[in-house]
Amino acid sequence: MKISNLQLTVVGIPRHTGFVSKHVIVEIMTDEGVTGIGEMSDFSHLPHYSLDVADLTAVLKNILIGKNPYDLSLINKELLSNFPESMFYYEKGNFIRNGIDAALHDLCAKSLNISVADLIGGRLQEKIKVCYPIFRHRFMEEVEENVEIVRQRYRQGFDVFRLYVGKNLDADEAFLDAVQSEFGSKVTIKSLDFSHLLDWKQAWQAVKRLSAYNFQMVESPAVQNDFEGLHHFRLKVDHPVSEHVWSFRQQYEMIKHDSVDIFNISPIFIGGITSARKAAAAAEVAGKGCLLGTTQELSIGTAAMAHLGSSLTNLIYTSDPTGPELYVADIVQNPVKYENGYLIVPGRDELGLGMQLDWETIEKYRVPDLSWGNVSVHQLQDRTAQTKA
């Protein structure tokens, strides 16, 4: 079996906040009629530049056509040489490699009549505990809006939430106080996520202030790649510290400096299922636990994480993939399912990733390219439709 063609389709799917995230659907075809699908998820992140999708299609065709799709290691090696790691959180080369690697896994599993979970070693669990994100407060009036989101999602079965913090600590504190007063122990705050907005000393001061409230961990409480700062922060706080893995060099430095307790691993940030499995194995060797991170994928990207997570022995913390719940639509006929705060892994009878494209919806939200228009930096950071005055 050989790869015979590749197609990339760009969609812009609005979130319930009004912010539009652009994703690239990947289709890899073979000479035996088997097609694998993947997702280059949510390119609407910093850095503030866009890719030429027509040129990217030509480059990927040059790399892939004629290859045996089972040569996953060989193809990933070539992809890495063309789209190298740059030690940056939202490195778009990682997004590209992730979409291709997911489609290859989907293709290979389909050709064997098995699921991706079975392809990569089998299942340890059929569901994964997840949390719902509460996006960053910039204004005090957003507090009640976010408390209402907790109410709505709690009624749907989500009882664990992740709070982005660091721009308005008064509002962050007011939110935590309101949630604790209204819900008590019925709702858990998984983490305070600083997203590298503050240096480690500023984040430490913020955590000291917010520690009057219950939360399980602290995420990204230093500027990117400040491994010593993360280490100092970790020694000063009582809560476990989590950080995303976006390159193997970065993960090596975090292990070397003993910077974190938990590795936040997501195929989108490390460049695919193949690389994510390596990162999880490195974490296990280092004696660290893992959680599945997210850039708020649609169902294809989320299904890939579900299959990955089902096979990991050190996935011991509540994970983040609730992306499909944030959007007004999805691009597949059978979106991933959530039950009582758990992401359900697609069943063994669902071949590959278990996803089938919904072309009617795709055509509705298809856009010509990944261009930005007038999206502001604040919108990118806070995932809002417009900047408030």
Side-chain angles (χ1 to χ4, degrees), residues 47-333:
H48 215 155
Y49 67 84
S50 59
L51 300 169
D52 183 324
V53 178
D55 186 63
L56 177 61
T57 301
V59 170
L60 290 171
K61 283 184 176 180
N62 185 55
I63 294 171
L64 294 170
I65 289 178
K67 293 283 199 312
N68 181 340
Y70 286 103
D71 287 336
L72 287 165
S73 296
L74 177 65
I75 293 173
N76 271 280
K77 182 179 179 181
E78 189 167 352
L79 288 170
L80 187 59
S81 68
N82 283 273
F83 307 100
E85 295 180 342
S86 67
M87 295 278 285
F88 186 78
Y89 183 22
Y90 292 116
E91 168 50 42
K92 296 183 180 183
N94 291 351
F95 288 30
I96 293 166
R97 291 188 286 114
N98 171 62
I100 298 301
D101 189 61
L104 290 171
H105 277 79
D106 184 55
L107 193 164
C108 292
K110 283 176 177 174
S111 71
L112 294 171
N113 292 314
I114 59 175
S115 72
V116 166
D118 292 327
L119 178 72
I120 61 177
R123 300 159 185 252
L124 296 171
Q125 54 189 330
E126 298 291 344
K127 61 182 182 179
I128 297 166
K129 186 67 176 178
V130 293
C131 62
Y132 194 88
I134 302 297
F135 290 100
R136 210 172 320 273
H137 298 99
R138 287 179 293 138
F139 308 99
M140 190 62 74
E141 58 264 31
E142 293 171 324
V143 170
E144 178 53 33
E145 297 172 9
N146 281 334
V147 173
E148 180 58 28
I149 290 174
V150 173
R151 295 186 188 109
Q152 293 172 4
R153 294 298 175 173
Y154 180 75
R155 288 194 292 268
Q156 295 175 353
F158 292 98
D159 59 355
V160 182
F161 295 84
R162 173 168 58 105
L163 177 63
Y164 289 90
V165 297
K167 277 197 171 180
N168 186 329
L169 289 178
D170 290 337
D172 295 337
E173 185 171 22
F175 171 83
L176 290 169
D177 187 73
V179 170
Q180 183 169 297
S181 297
E182 181 170 340
F183 293 94
S185 61
K186 293 186 293 185
V187 159
T188 298
I189 302 297
K190 188 203 80 170
S191 61
L192 305 183
D193 190 340
F194 287 91
S195 304
H196 319 109
L197 291 181
L198 305 180
D199 65 36
W200 76 266
K201 291 183 179 179
Q202 293 171 320
W204 175 43
Q205 293 298 323
V207 169
K208 284 199 296 183
R209 174 177 175 179
L210 299 177
S211 288
Y213 303 95
N214 294 322
F215 53 90
Q216 293 180 332
M217 67 182 72
V218 181
E219 296 191 299
S220 304
V223 296
Q224 289 188 39
N225 300 318
D226 181 8
F227 311 113
E228 291 185 358
L230 272 175
H231 174 74
H232 290 312
F233 179 92
R234 180 171 176 250
L235 293 181
K236 287 181 175 294
V237 299
D238 295 326
H239 295 83
V241 176
S242 169
E243 182 57 280
H244 303 75
V245 179
W246 53 77
S247 86
F248 289 113
R249 176 68 190 193
Q250 175 238 7
Q251 187 180 25
Y252 164 79
E253 293 291 345
M254 287 193 288
I255 293 171
K256 176 182 175 182
H257 288 87
D258 203 15
S259 298
V260 300
D261 303 282
I262 305 159
F263 284 113
N264 182 318
I265 295 174
S266 176
I268 188 70
F269 292 125
I270 192 61
I273 295 172
T274 299
S275 293
R277 293 178 67 202
K278 292 179 182 178
E284 187 172 11
V285 170
K288 308 291 185 180
C290 292
L291 62 85
L292 291 177
T294 185
T295 185
Q296 311 306 349
E297 296 81 355
L298 298 170
S299 276
I300 298 173
T302 305
M305 286 192 289
H307 285 277
L308 169 68
S310 74
S311 69
L312 297 181
T313 58
N314 56 338
L315 182 65
I316 55 178
Y317 295 95
T318 300
S319 292
D320 299 339
T322 51
E325 293 289 309
L326 303 182
Y327 294 99
V328 302
D330 213 318
I331 55 173
V332 296
Q333 300 173 28

